Structure formats: structure tokens, C-alpha cells
Amino acid sequence: MSTISTGDGLMTYINVFHCKPENQQALSVAIRKETDEVVRHMPGFISANVHCSVDGSRVTNYAQWSELSAFQKHIRSEEGRALILELHKYADDVDVHVYQVDWIVSADGEESR
């Protein structure tokens, strides 16, 4: 389960896949398959969440890692490249960045930095 917190040192990959609406569900399924079969077993993996845009044009993968190096090693491997190619069957473009939580504000006014 994902926990968003400041100061925990986790790295967050936010991947925004752009797709045609008719490919959105297949893309989500492919990301789930990669996560279930490979990624969740990797050292440093914490959690993953997938969000599908209401208009069908994007799938966003929010994944937390304790170590950047583990995921970087995976995406540079032959298996990792094959999985990326699989996702590109359904995605027209992908925007990948690594983030750290800077601050959080909740509805009750509680704030964390």
C-alpha cells in the first residue's frame, strides 16, 4: 500500500503514458502484468498505483521505490527493455520522471513538509 509522506526518503516514479482511448485498458493491463510478474519482486520496490484518465487518453503509473538503482538496473536489462517495448504497443508516448515528496496538505488543514 502506498503511503505519501515527507521525510521517508522514498523515490516516486510518475510515468504518464499517452494513448488512444481504445488502448487505455490494454495498457493498464500490461502495466499490471509487468508489475505482478517482475517489478514487485525487485529489491527496493514499495508499491505501484495506476490511474486511468476519464477521457481515455492517459494512464499514469505512480510507483514508490526505496532505491533508485534497483529500478534503473531493471530498465537497462534485456528483460526490462522487452517490457518497455510491450508497453509501447499501447502507448503513443511516455513521460517518466522521478520525484520526492516536498509537502502535503490535508482537508483538515494538517500540513507536513
Side-chain angles (χ1 to χ4, degrees):
M1 181 88 44
S2 298
T3 301
I4 300 175
S5 174
T6 59
D8 59 13
L10 296 181
M11 300 289 121
T12 303
Y13 276 79
I14 300 178
N15 310 307
V16 180
F17 296 89
H18 300 260
C19 61
K20 293 176 181 63
E22 60 268 22
N23 291 334
Q24 185 187 54
Q25 195 55 48
L27 177 57
S28 178
V29 168
I31 294 168
R32 175 65 182 257
K33 183 176 190 270
E34 175 186 353
T35 302
D36 282 344
E37 294 178 3
V38 179
V39 177
R40 73 182 184 92
H41 304 286
M42 296 175 63
F45 175 75
I46 304 294
S47 66
N49 302 272
V50 168
H51 304 262
C52 293
S53 67
V54 175
D55 67 1
S57 68
R58 289 177 185 79
V59 175
T60 301
N61 178 6
Y62 178 97
Q64 294 179 316
W65 290 79
S66 65
E67 306 167 26
L68 280 177
S69 60
F71 188 73
Q72 290 170 336
K73 181 178 178 182
H74 165 62
I75 62 173
R76 291 182 184 128
S77 71
E78 186 175 321
E79 181 181 50
R81 287 192 301 272
L83 290 168
I84 290 167
L85 288 174
E86 178 67 21
L87 297 181
H88 280 282
K89 288 180 182 177
Y90 310 106
D92 300 324
D93 188 35
V94 63
D95 184 26
V96 178
H97 293 279
V98 181
Y99 298 85
Q100 288 184 298
V101 177
D102 188 41
W103 54 268
I104 301 166
V105 173
S106 65
D108 64 5
E110 190 172 324
E111 186 173 331
S112 177
R113 181 158 177 94

PDB file of all heavy atoms in Angstrom, residues 104-112:
ATOM      1  N   ILE A 104       2.763  18.239   1.954  1.00  0.00           N
ATOM      2  CA  ILE A 104       1.434  17.650   1.936  1.00  0.00           C
ATOM      3  C   ILE A 104       0.505  18.551   2.749  1.00  0.00           C
ATOM      4  O   ILE A 104       0.880  19.005   3.828  1.00  0.00           O
ATOM      5  CB  ILE A 104       1.437  16.249   2.584  1.00  0.00           C
ATOM      6  CG1 ILE A 104       2.396  15.316   1.847  1.00  0.00           C
ATOM      7  CG2 ILE A 104       0.030  15.662   2.628  1.00  0.00           C
ATOM      8  CD1 ILE A 104       2.692  14.045   2.616  1.00  0.00           C
ATOM      9  N   VAL A 105      -0.704  18.796   2.249  1.00  0.00           N
ATOM     10  CA  VAL A 105      -1.744  19.498   2.997  1.00  0.00           C
ATOM     11  C   VAL A 105      -3.014  18.674   2.895  1.00  0.00           C
ATOM     12  O   VAL A 105      -3.383  18.211   1.827  1.00  0.00           O
ATOM     13  CB  VAL A 105      -2.000  20.920   2.430  1.00  0.00           C
ATOM     14  CG1 VAL A 105      -3.192  21.560   3.113  1.00  0.00           C
ATOM     15  CG2 VAL A 105      -0.782  21.785   2.546  1.00  0.00           C
ATOM     16  N   SER A 106      -3.696  18.463   4.016  1.00  0.00           N
ATOM     17  CA  SER A 106      -4.944  17.693   4.024  1.00  0.00           C
ATOM     18  C   SER A 106      -6.135  18.626   4.202  1.00  0.00           C
ATOM     19  O   SER A 106      -5.977  19.805   4.533  1.00  0.00           O
ATOM     20  CB  SER A 106      -4.916  16.648   5.159  1.00  0.00           C
ATOM     21  OG  SER A 106      -4.878  17.288   6.392  1.00  0.00           O
ATOM     22  N   ALA A 107      -7.340  18.090   4.018  1.00  0.00           N
ATOM     23  CA  ALA A 107      -8.570  18.883   4.117  1.00  0.00           C
ATOM     24  C   ALA A 107      -8.750  19.497   5.505  1.00  0.00           C
ATOM     25  O   ALA A 107      -9.345  20.557   5.648  1.00  0.00           O
ATOM     26  CB  ALA A 107      -9.774  18.029   3.770  1.00  0.00           C
ATOM     27  N   ASP A 108      -8.227  18.835   6.534  1.00  0.00           N
ATOM     28  CA  ASP A 108      -8.375  19.358   7.905  1.00  0.00           C
ATOM     29  C   ASP A 108      -7.323  20.409   8.228  1.00  0.00           C
ATOM     30  O   ASP A 108      -7.241  20.876   9.368  1.00  0.00           O
ATOM     31  CB  ASP A 108      -8.353  18.230   8.927  1.00  0.00           C
ATOM     32  CG  ASP A 108      -7.033  17.480   8.963  1.00  0.00           C
ATOM     33  OD1 ASP A 108      -6.069  17.886   8.264  1.00  0.00           O
ATOM     34  OD2 ASP A 108      -6.953  16.476   9.689  1.00  0.00           O
ATOM     35  N   GLY A 109      -6.515  20.779   7.238  1.00  0.00           N
ATOM     36  CA  GLY A 109      -5.504  21.818   7.436  1.00  0.00           C
ATOM     37  C   GLY A 109      -4.181  21.305   7.945  1.00  0.00           C
ATOM     38  O   GLY A 109      -3.220  22.060   8.078  1.00  0.00           O
ATOM     39  N   GLU A 110      -4.114  20.007   8.229  1.00  0.00           N
ATOM     40  CA  GLU A 110      -2.854  19.431   8.687  1.00  0.00           C
ATOM     41  C   GLU A 110      -1.841  19.524   7.552  1.00  0.00           C
ATOM     42  O   GLU A 110      -2.144  19.229   6.398  1.00  0.00           O
ATOM     43  CB  GLU A 110      -3.066  17.973   9.101  1.00  0.00           C
ATOM     44  CG  GLU A 110      -1.859  17.410   9.801  1.00  0.00           C
ATOM     45  CD  GLU A 110      -2.158  16.030  10.379  1.00  0.00           C
ATOM     46  OE1 GLU A 110      -3.295  15.807  10.839  1.00  0.00           O
ATOM     47  OE2 GLU A 110      -1.239  15.216  10.348  1.00  0.00           O
ATOM     48  N   GLU A 111      -0.660  19.959   7.896  1.00  0.00           N
ATOM     49  CA  GLU A 111       0.367  20.170   6.891  1.00  0.00           C
ATOM     50  C   GLU A 111       1.647  19.438   7.284  1.00  0.00           C
ATOM     51  O   GLU A 111       1.978  19.334   8.461  1.00  0.00           O
ATOM     52  CB  GLU A 111       0.661  21.666   6.750  1.00  0.00           C
ATOM     53  CG  GLU A 111       1.605  21.990   5.645  1.00  0.00           C
ATOM     54  CD  GLU A 111       1.752  23.487   5.414  1.00  0.00           C
ATOM     55  OE1 GLU A 111       0.799  24.241   5.687  1.00  0.00           O
ATOM     56  OE2 GLU A 111       2.823  23.899   4.957  1.00  0.00           O
ATOM     57  N   SER A 112       2.316  18.938   6.271  1.00  0.00           N
ATOM     58  CA  SER A 112       3.604  18.270   6.502  1.00  0.00           C
ATOM     59  C   SER A 112       4.592  18.761   5.465  1.00  0.00           C
ATOM     60  O   SER A 112       4.254  18.944   4.313  1.00  0.00           O
ATOM     61  CB  SER A 112       3.411  16.760   6.377  1.00  0.00           C
ATOM     62  OG  SER A 112       4.648  16.103   6.532  1.00  0.00           O
TER      63      SER A 112
END
